[in-house]
């Protein structure tokens, strides 16, 4: 039997945030993905792929997934059901076949038309295949080159971080974490307390694999930043996540947020490269 689309996706999408997953998990996140609150991400989704021959058993050479989002972000950054974005969430093709990439990208551009803005690798909506990170990793420069040659510009740049948890991640006695219940999409928020006072907050996404989690955001009370609290909260977080069976804990931050980069590196996260989102003007 020839390779499946899942096999092809796996061979092409090798960014550090494309974690091992079952075929069922991949199918669900590819075609029926939801956000942290369990809301469907897309109202329409189109998948096109290219093969070496038009026969069913031809080898895959490229894949694109695009569509209109089910909700969007308004000009003040708030989520609104009246706003919809045009998003290319997956684009991959054999590096030695740029013409395949062109063909697939143009199918999406023709679908959306030139009047409206088009996003590619929009973080929130590109979170596919359990990755929880939708930006394009720097290990796919051929995909970026194609986008830049076709009128896209870089919107946001991030650094992606990964941390392996171990039994050496021991608790911090000065911090306790108060957790919310698990949301339908697998998220839990926490408040961090010291001496009974809330000093920090964050959100963790628990991936369906069971042993991987993703830190969506973390924040320390502005008046109390740079006093060691963020480090203590992270230590406590590592220990509690390890107890919950989490072995890999990832996050990302803006390329411009050097304070957060120092913070993540100080707490043992490894820099796993730059990721970018794109849009047409
Ligand atoms: C990033 C953040 C969570 C760190 O928490 P914190 O309590 O300030 O962190 P700590 O005091 O434990 O400091 C840890 C390291 O972070 C870095 N850091 C923290 N604040 C910094 C600042 N204002 N400037 C530069 N580096 C800073 C330093 O490397 C520091 O280590 P050092 O003290 O040895 O120099 C906090 O600053 C914050 O809430 N920032 C705004 C939100 C944010 O950027 N969140 C992360 C991205 S989602």
């Amino acid at each position: 039997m020839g390779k499946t689309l899942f096999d092809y996706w796996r061979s092409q999408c090798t960014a550090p945030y494309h974690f091992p997953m079952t075929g069922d998990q991949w199918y669900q996140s590819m075609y029926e993905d939801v956000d942290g609150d369990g809301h469907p991400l897309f109202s329409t989704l189109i998948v096109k792929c290219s093969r070496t021959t038009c026969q069913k058993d031809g080898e895959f050479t490229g894949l694109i997934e695009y569509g209109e989002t089910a909700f969007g972000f308004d000009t003040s950054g708030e989520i609104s059901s009246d706003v919809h974005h045009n998003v290319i969430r997956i684009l991959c093709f054999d590096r030695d076949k740029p013409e395949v990439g062109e063909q697939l990208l143009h199918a999406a551009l023709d679908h959306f038309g030139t009047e409206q803005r088009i996003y590619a690798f929009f973080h929130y909506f590109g979170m596919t295949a359990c990755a929880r990170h939708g930006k394009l990793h720097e290990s796919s420069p051929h995909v970026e080159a194609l986008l830049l040659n076709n009128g896209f510009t870089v919107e946001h740049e991030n650094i992606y971080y990964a941390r392996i948890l171990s039994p050496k991640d021991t608790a911090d006695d000065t911090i306790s974490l108060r957790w919310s219940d698990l949301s339908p999409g697998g998220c839990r928020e926490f408040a961090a307390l010291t001496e009974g006072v809330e000093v920090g907050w964050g959100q963790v996404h628990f991936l369906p694999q069971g042993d991987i989690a993703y830190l969506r955001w973390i924040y320390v009370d502005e008046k109390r930043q740079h006093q060691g609290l963020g480090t203590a909260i992270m230590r406590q977080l590592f220990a509690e996540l390890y107890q919950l069976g989490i072995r890999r804990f990832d996050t990302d931050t803006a390329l411009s947020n050097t304070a957060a980069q120092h913070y993540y590196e100080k707490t043992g996260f490894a820099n796993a490269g730059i990721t970018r989102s794109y849009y047409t003007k």
Side-chain angles (χ1 to χ4, degrees), residues 21 26-27 39 65 82 139 156 162 195 197 212 225 227 240 250 257:
M21 78 201 84
W26 179 78
Y27 183 91
H39 299 132
E65 184 181 47
D82 297 329
S139 57
H156 296 131
E195 295 170 352
V197 178
I212 307 170
Q225 289 176 10
Q227 297 170 22
E240 292 197 21
D250 285 13
N257 193 347

Side-chain angles (χ1 to χ4, degrees), residues 191-264:
L193 293 87
T194 185
E195 295 170 352
V197 178
E198 288 193 11
V199 292
W201 303 267
Q203 188 186 52
V204 175
H205 204 130
F206 292 84
L207 273 60
Q209 287 91 334
D211 58 352
I212 307 170
Y214 192 88
L215 180 66
R216 298 287 298 277
W217 52 269
I218 187 164
Y219 180 78
V220 166
D221 182 349
E222 212 167 336
K223 300 182 291 297
R224 306 188 65 160
Q225 289 176 10
H226 216 171
Q227 297 170 22
L229 279 171
T231 304
I233 294 168
M234 194 62 94
R235 213 177 293 139
Q236 181 64 18
L237 197 51
F238 291 157
E240 292 197 21
L241 291 177
Y242 188 83
Q243 289 300 319
L244 290 171
I246 301 300
R247 298 293 177 264
R248 167 107 181 235
F249 189 42
D250 285 13
T251 192
D252 70 277
T253 193
L255 194 57
S256 56
N257 193 347
T258 49
Q261 288 159 33
H262 289 144
Y263 168 61
Y264 290 133

Side-chain angles (χ1 to χ4, degrees), residues 98-149:
E99 69 284 2
V100 168
E102 285 281 350
Q103 212 178 7
L104 293 171
L105 178 60
H106 280 278
L109 300 184
D110 290 349
H111 171 81
F112 291 129
T114 50
E115 296 302 306
Q116 295 175 325
R117 170 167 288 175
I118 304 168
Y119 293 89
F121 299 98
F122 193 132
H123 187 137
Y124 198 91
F125 297 101
M127 295 175 181
T128 188
C130 310
R132 310 328 308 175
H133 187 83
K135 294 194 169 105
L136 180 70
H137 190 254
E138 61 180 331
S139 57
S140 293
H142 60 304
V143 177
E144 173 171 271
L146 176 68
L147 291 169
L148 297 182
N149 285 336

